[in-house]
Amino acid sequence: MSQILHRSIAGGYPTAVSGEGVWLIDSDGKRYLDGSGGAAVSCLGHGHPDIRAAMHAQIDKLAYAHTSFFTSQPAEELAEHLIARAPNGLSHVFICSSGSEAVEACLKLARHYFVERGEPKRIQFISRRQSYHGITVGALSVGGRMKDRAPFKEMLLQGHHIAPCYAYRDQRADETLEQYGLRVADELEAKILELGPETVAAFVAETVVGATLGCVPPVPGYFKRIREICDRHGVLLILDEVMSGMGRTGTLHACEQEGIAPDLMAIAKGLGAGYVPIGAMLASSQIIAAVRQGSGAFPHSQTYNGHPLACATALAVQQVIERDDLLANVRRQGAHLERRLKERFGNHHHVGDVRGRGHFWGIELVADRASKTPFDPALKLHARVKQAAMAHGLMVYPMGGTADGNAGDHVLLAPPFIADAAIMDTLVERLGEAVDAAIAGAF
């Protein structure tokens, strides 16, 4: 019996013992194609020699120095690297250890900004239903994945939610994609006016929705309207690119493809590629100026902020991605993955939608393709798909509650940036076998 409090106490897990490129190997020698990058984390695959060398070099110099006493060269160099490539207006970096921590920092800095500006009534945060922003209390409060919120609802902070940008289920027959996007974006303005603009601090959104909906990109014009609404009412825009950012969708930041920049941004996962726990908040010069002219301090810190080993490792990851032009590979092989997924599932009776960008794709499973009716949640089809995929030597990231928080199933794919066409072909082949086996086993 394991002494670890695992995610599921009921069953066991295979033991991972090594990794080679896009493969993980368990203690029985079985190889698994990492088709989801774990949780969209392992963008460089496993055991990359350059990253191992960077980690060794840093640990020989300095592993840890508390940020209340020192800064460090790796932290300074990582911040410089990130800001040099950041969306317009972002000027400073707060380095933490996870995506949840990065979102939490965004929420607290947004609130602190308005206190510094003499607008203390701005305490409300608006986000979207069917979103996920992390598992800490603050991040869970703004998140819209109801099954995660339910056990803790009495202790969560007040949050306000509007509709997601989810055209597959919510676009009307009489609307173009652009008209649909403007309609759901305008829900933000209605909610701001309902709450009172003077009380709203920020709107929080995933640029491309990850785990809860399965790689749903925004429709054209949606985020430009969101940006206009935020600016009109003095509301900050916080983009959560923990899963979709750092190259995952084919550009370093997913919002580049929307033609906008946020006031605050959360990144993680692909930042350190899974070699170390690391996340970061990127903040705009406008926000930093208000703090500098006010108290001069951000009242938020954690023990492992700016950890030198984590920073050196993340910097090496980002340098390898840039040196090897891996974002070009993400765009090239992402197009191949899209084509192969649509060939395999485009007419599948139980796949309603194939969507995504770059190396970030999802398929939505349905009981009936024509009506888009989800499978009965009691079947837990997403869990069956994961089990079948593991049996076929494939790691994918399925989730339930896709359609409405209760019913619906999808499978998320986030292969490493180093994957080639042959790996994508193997991924789709094994996924097809797993989906068919899971559906057959459910009846």
Side-chain angles (χ1 to χ4, degrees), residues 268-284:
K269 299 189 186 292
L271 175 60
Y275 288 88
V276 287
I278 190 167
M281 169 183 68
L282 278 60
S284 72

Side-chain angles (χ1 to χ4, degrees), residues 41 43-45 47-60 62-63 72-75 77-79 81-82 95 246 269-279 306-321:
V41 175
C43 58
L44 289 185
H48 197 292
D50 293 347
I51 309 308
R52 292 205 312 261
M55 296 177 76
H56 281 295
Q58 183 58 42
I59 203 86
D60 286 342
L62 174 68
S72 70
Q73 183 178 346
E77 290 179 352
L78 177 61
H81 183 98
L82 293 175
I95 302 167
M246 303 314 293
K269 299 189 186 292
L271 175 60
Y275 288 88
V276 287
I278 190 167
H307 193 281
L309 177 60
C311 291
T313 305
L315 179 60
V317 167
Q318 297 309 308
Q319 289 171 334
V320 166
I321 290 171

Side-chain angles (χ1 to χ4, degrees), residues 355-420:
R355 67 264 186 144
R357 289 179 181 172
H359 279 203
F360 200 47
W361 285 86
I363 61 171
E364 183 163 343
L365 305 173
V366 290
D368 179 73
R369 181 183 175 88
S371 66
K372 304 181 183 179
T373 304
F375 282 96
D376 182 347
L379 293 173
K380 295 186 177 179
L381 185 63
H382 58 283
R384 294 174 181 269
V385 171
K386 181 177 180 180
Q387 184 178 24
M390 289 289 280
H392 284 82
L394 173 66
M395 295 163 57
V396 294
Y397 197 138
M399 190 68 66
T402 314
D404 58 10
N406 178 45
D409 304 89
H410 70 260
V411 182
L412 184 152
L413 304 172
F417 298 176
I418 60 174
D420 59 17

Side-chain angles (χ1 to χ4, degrees), residues 36-108:
S36 60
V41 175
S42 299
C43 58
L44 289 185
H46 306 276
H48 197 292
D50 293 347
I51 309 308
R52 292 205 312 261
M55 296 177 76
H56 281 295
Q58 183 58 42
I59 203 86
D60 286 342
K61 297 177 188 175
L62 174 68
Y64 172 70
H66 197 278
T67 52
S68 68
F69 298 94
F70 299 99
T71 187
S72 70
Q73 183 178 346
E76 296 289 349
E77 290 179 352
L78 177 61
E80 289 174 10
H81 183 98
L82 293 175
I83 292 303
R85 294 153 181 80
N88 186 49
L90 299 181
S91 65
H92 284 71
V93 180
F94 177 86
I95 302 167
C96 52
S97 299
S98 72
S100 294
E101 290 179 23
V103 169
E104 202 83 15
C106 287
L107 301 177
K108 292 182 77 173

Side-chain angles (χ1 to χ4, degrees), residues 289-357:
V291 174
R292 181 176 287 117
Q293 293 162 15
S295 67
F298 176 35
H300 176 71
S301 65
Q302 291 167 295
T303 301
Y304 298 115
N305 290 154
H307 193 281
L309 177 60
C311 291
T313 305
L315 179 60
V317 167
Q318 297 309 308
Q319 289 171 334
V320 166
I321 290 171
E322 195 166 279
R323 182 198 70 194
D324 296 347
D325 199 15
L326 291 180
L327 298 191
N329 191 61
V330 170
R331 293 189 290 271
R332 182 170 54 252
Q333 298 305 333
H336 180 74
L337 177 59
E338 176 183 10
R339 183 168 58 253
R340 293 290 288 112
L341 285 170
K342 289 181 176 177
E343 288 171 357
R344 180 63 176 83
F345 297 108
N347 293 309
H348 194 293
H349 184 64
H350 293 299
V351 175
D353 194 27
V354 178
R355 67 264 186 144
R357 289 179 181 172

